[in-house]
Amino acid sequence: MDYFCTHRARCRCSGGVVVVTNVTSLTRSGLADFVVQRVSAVIIGLYALCVFGFFLANPNMSHGDLVGYFGSTTMQLFSTVTVLATVGHAWIGMWTIGTDYIQLHYFGEHATAFRFLYQSGCLLVLFVYAAWALPLFWGQ
Amino acid sequence: MQVSVYRYNPDVDEVPEMRTSALELPEGKDLMVLDVLELLKIEDPTLSYRRSCREGVCGSDGINMNGKNGLACITPVSQVAKRGKLVLRPLPGLPVIRDLVVDMSQFYRQYEKVDPFLQNDSPPPAQERLQSPEERAKLDGLYECILCACCSTACPSFWWNPDKFIGPAGLLQAYRFLADSRDTATAERLAKLDDPFSVFRCRGIMNCVSVCPKGLNPTRAIGKIRSLLLQQGT
Ligand code: SF4
Ligand code: SF4
Ligand code: FES
């Protein structure tokens, strides 16, 4: 378990350089983020159970069955909530990873710029995901 | 015994290096790592490290021995040396001042943030503020911390965000005062901990628990702080 760099003596990264800020966290409260993370995980889990359960219970399902299942108001709402939960869950997770690892230690003085790019990329992907998924459930 | 020590003197050395020497250890005795350092220092007086009590009480000789943090004075060589090799480095993640001496300012700054002193807004009684034995028992496993920094410098979350994550040592003390029946600042203390970094950067890796030379459990204390925050938030 040799887990550190022998050259860190010249790296003053632990010397109080403030680079990471809270502003881009989902709720800006650690507690709220923590709760959102857990609740959204439960929602996603339940949704996965429902959908897989439906697939397993209907081995010879037709396209009509599928449309019927996902077209019910309950499923439309459940799907929407799950997509939003996924976006929230993913953002909190990706934000945490970014603020842990995209740091001066690895990225030098451009860390903040890199983190901004990374976060923009994540947001873009999540936005595209939601914009693609939501109309699927609410389309005709 | 092959002893390899991290050496760095910023005034002369361009970069740090591991310097290895062969050392004759007395037969039939299991020395502590601190004794080995003392022997090395006889040979090379420029070797620098901190020590004081030499009995696990002062917390000044926290170092990294064969990859694991601990107090040199109470760690037997036999417990850490592997295949006749002892590798000694400074505590990870803090800036090195010289050899095994690290700059602990960041660690103390985090400690300071949790207001590690009793706060009580009622007028002090004529004698002392009393506690029942049960209330006192809640502080066991918390008050024993000697601030050696072995835990915080073994914690990846502290490595990544040492300026914002309070770290296991500071959080153990935060809980020590949250759990104290005589302290009345619970709400203010909790409010200061609610951001996404101070407490919630703990990912439950439990490195802190596995290295604490006093056998304390910061992860459990952090869990209790989380529960208090949840209770307060609902
Ligand atoms: S909790 Fe243990 S390892 Fe951490 S500073 Fe206190 S005594 Fe040292
Ligand atoms: S349990 Fe938390 S505080 Fe302890 S080492 Fe892991 S992340 Fe750090
Ligand atoms: S010298 Fe005091 S704890 Fe080791």
Side-chain angles (χ1 to χ4, degrees), chain B residues 107 145-151 169 172 212-214 216 218:
Chain B
F107 176 78
C145 172
I146 54 172
L147 293 176
C148 63
C150 288
C151 55
L172 190 85
C212 176
K214 293 300 205 183
L216 308 178

Side-chain angles (χ1 to χ4, degrees), chain A residues 12-19 104, chain B residues 95 106 109 162-163:
Chain A
R12 305 296 295 185
C13 51
S14 299
V17 188
V18 181
V19 281
L104 277 156
Chain B
Q106 192 66 262
R109 224 171 281 142
D163 55 330

Side-chain angles (χ1 to χ4, degrees), chain B residues 85-153:
Chain B
K85 229 183 155 207
L86 188 61
V87 185
L88 306 177
R89 295 176 192 250
L91 290 175
L94 295 176
V96 173
I97 295 173
R98 176 170 167 160
D99 298 343
L100 301 177
V101 178
V102 290
D103 179 355
M104 307 261 284
S105 323
Q106 192 66 262
F107 176 78
Y108 294 136
R109 224 171 281 142
Q110 294 301 351
Y111 177 57
E112 199 184 340
K113 273 198 207 163
V114 309
D115 299 330
F117 43 84
L118 195 81
Q119 297 178 46
N120 190 315
D121 46 22
S122 63
Q127 291 190 348
E128 68 251 74
R129 296 188 197 276
L130 292 176
Q131 264 187 320
S132 70
E134 293 74 36
E135 287 167 342
R136 169 61 188 75
K138 289 194 181 144
L139 308 184
D140 287 340
L142 303 171
Y143 78 90
E144 299 93 329
C145 172
I146 54 172
L147 293 176
C148 63
C150 288
C151 55
S152 293
T153 58

